Amino acid sequence: MIYLREEHEMIREAVRDFAVNEVEPGEVERDASQEFPHHLLEMMKDLGLLGIPFPEEYGGAGMDVLCYAIAVEELSRVSGSLGLTLAAHVSLGTSPIYEFGTDEQKKKYVPALAAGEYLGAFGLTEPNAGSDAAGTQTTAVRDGDEWVINGQKIFVTNGSLAGTLIFTAVTSREPRQISAFIVEKGTPGFVVGKKEDKLGCRASDTRVVFFEDCRIPAENLVGGESELGKGFKFFMKTLDGGRISIGAMALGIAQGALDKAIPHVRERKQFGQAIGSFQGVSHRIADMATEIQAARHLVYNAAWLKDQGKPLEHHSATAKLFASEVAMRAADSAIQVLGASGYMREYHVERYLRDAKLCEIGEGTSEIQRLVIARQLLGRL
Ligand code: COS
């Protein structure tokens, strides 16, 4: 691809090497046990993956968003769980602090997050605020030098691993105002619930978190007093960036499915010949490759736009929408060409289908992506 430079190829090679040699061997077992791979997180930390797109002065690697997207893609090529862990940490848990935080907030949290001293998490979704993200019911009430938080956030990726959670809360009912805050792990009244039992990305850490008269310092209002009430917009902008990484995750899963399908159809013989010699099978492989290439262009283009500081909303939504649907089709095709083997856990591809489904839901369902894209084109009718 014309816009890939040496550093993009280098990060791909480094993450690919780590993913194939260290991650893939235990992936089937972790999918069954749902055990989070702390040892792999340590290795990701040592490889500098947890701070790829943040400047060196904030403890990051000073690389671009495209490098980060490639890292998520390559991890997801063997492990949706780890791809999701990285995506949630960087795009959702750390980026909004870096982009919208005060200087003090950035200095206090971003270097620790980028170095992987702890993971970051993002709390937007609530029982009554899913696709309608503005339906937040969590409240923040000012009391002297503190904010008192009550409510809950659900489906929080990295919930128990995170040292910080950035979240939204209602700071005024009339007029309605949503603000963003940072809570640190261990703050009294901030309670992390049990790990969710999921269809896919099973080793990733998904939790409900509760705020029970949780007091956080006034300075943890994201962006400071002048940004009171801007939390919803901060979160929408964050999702514009986050959707690139879910697109990258989907792209990796789709590529991983193709990786498993190709050797199988070359080697598997039926009716006296390799099944890849049958047109019905070979065309399926060709279609997978074509769609993956198209998805890669959309995802990398969205990453490039973010690097250029250009408007993203439309491009990250199209990239996520297309790539996640490609991932579902690619995983389904991989299962189909592997036949009964594809249905067996040890061949990986059935996990790819389960992991891919997350990409059509997380950081905005495919329906919400279509809404965002259509609104851009049609306005509000
Ligand atoms: N960037 C900047 N501002 C944005 C924005 C974006 N991408 N999207 C919306 N806004 C702004 C709007 O401009 C509007 O500002 P004004 O009040 O100044 O006019 C404000 O935010 C409200 O926007 P809007 O009216 O479009 O909000 P809606 O309630 O209609 O919701 C959708 C918009 C549906 C797009 C939003 O709720 C959404 O993205 N839902 C999905 C949530 C999601 O992805 N959840 C997954 C969480 S991952 S853990």
Side-chain angles (χ1 to χ4, degrees), residues 122 124-125 130-131 133-134 232-233 236-237 239-240 243 313 363-364 368 372 375 380:
F122 175 88
L124 175 64
T125 305
S131 288
F232 185 72
K233 284 190 189 172
M236 289 298 105
K237 285 188 190 153
L239 287 173
D240 288 342
R243 287 169 185 162
E313 195 178 358
E363 297 200 36
I368 289 296
V372 167
R375 267 191 193 175
R380 284 171 190 254

Side-chain angles (χ1 to χ4, degrees), residues 92 122-125 129-135 154-157 232-240 243 246 312-314 316 320 361-365 368-369 371-372 375-376 380:
L92 300 185
F122 175 88
L124 175 64
T125 305
S131 288
D132 181 7
I154 58 174
F155 310 137
V156 177
T157 307
F232 185 72
K233 284 190 189 172
F234 290 166
F235 271 49
M236 289 298 105
K237 285 188 190 153
T238 301
L239 287 173
D240 288 342
R243 287 169 185 162
I246 299 299
L312 257 193
E313 195 178 358
H314 176 85
S316 60
K320 177 194 184 285
I361 297 172
E363 297 200 36
T365 59
I368 289 296
Q369 306 314 313
L371 177 151
V372 167
R375 267 191 193 175
Q376 290 260 322
R380 284 171 190 254

Side-chain angles (χ1 to χ4, degrees), residues 114-294:
E117 281 174 33
Y118 44 75
L119 288 183
F122 175 88
L124 175 64
T125 305
E126 299 183 8
N128 291 310
S131 288
D132 181 7
T136 307
Q137 290 176 334
T138 295
T139 55
V141 176
R142 186 70 183 251
D143 181 22
D145 285 343
E146 294 174 327
W147 287 94
V148 185
I149 317 292
N150 279 288
Q152 60 174 290
K153 297 288 174 182
I154 58 174
F155 310 137
V156 177
T157 307
N158 298 337
S160 76
L161 308 166
T164 56
L165 171 85
I166 179 165
F167 65 96
T168 48
V170 176
T171 40
S172 163
R173 283 190 205 285
E174 202 51 61
R176 189 166 165 81
Q177 188 186 62
I178 294 174
S179 303
F181 297 89
I182 300 164
V183 63
E184 294 180 16
K185 185 177 190 167
T187 304
F190 177 55
V191 181
V192 178
K194 68 169 179 50
K195 183 168 177 168
E196 300 289 355
D197 185 1
K198 308 191 294 289
L199 175 75
C201 299
R202 286 170 54 79
S204 71
D205 185 68
T206 309
R207 310 261 173 172
V208 57
V209 299
F210 301 96
F211 300 95
E212 296 163 354
D213 287 326
C214 173
R215 288 179 170 270
I216 61 174
E219 64 260 25
N220 283 21
L221 171 66
V222 174
E225 299 294 326
S226 62
E227 306 301 276
L228 189 69
K230 299 211 181 134
F232 185 72
K233 284 190 189 172
F234 290 166
F235 271 49
M236 289 298 105
K237 285 188 190 153
T238 301
L239 287 173
D240 288 342
R243 287 169 185 162
I244 300 171
S245 53
I246 299 299
M249 179 183 162
L251 174 61
I253 293 172
Q255 182 65 56
L258 182 61
D259 293 343
K260 299 290 182 214
I262 288 175
H264 181 84
V265 305
R266 291 168 71 106
E267 283 153 27
R268 170 81 172 156
K269 289 202 169 56
Q270 288 291 276
F271 307 103
Q273 56 198 94
I275 61 171
S277 67
F278 298 118
Q279 213 170 42
V281 174
S282 67
H283 283 192
R284 204 185 257 274
I285 298 288
D287 287 346
M288 288 166 82
T290 305
E291 289 202 332
I292 290 168
Q293 198 169 330

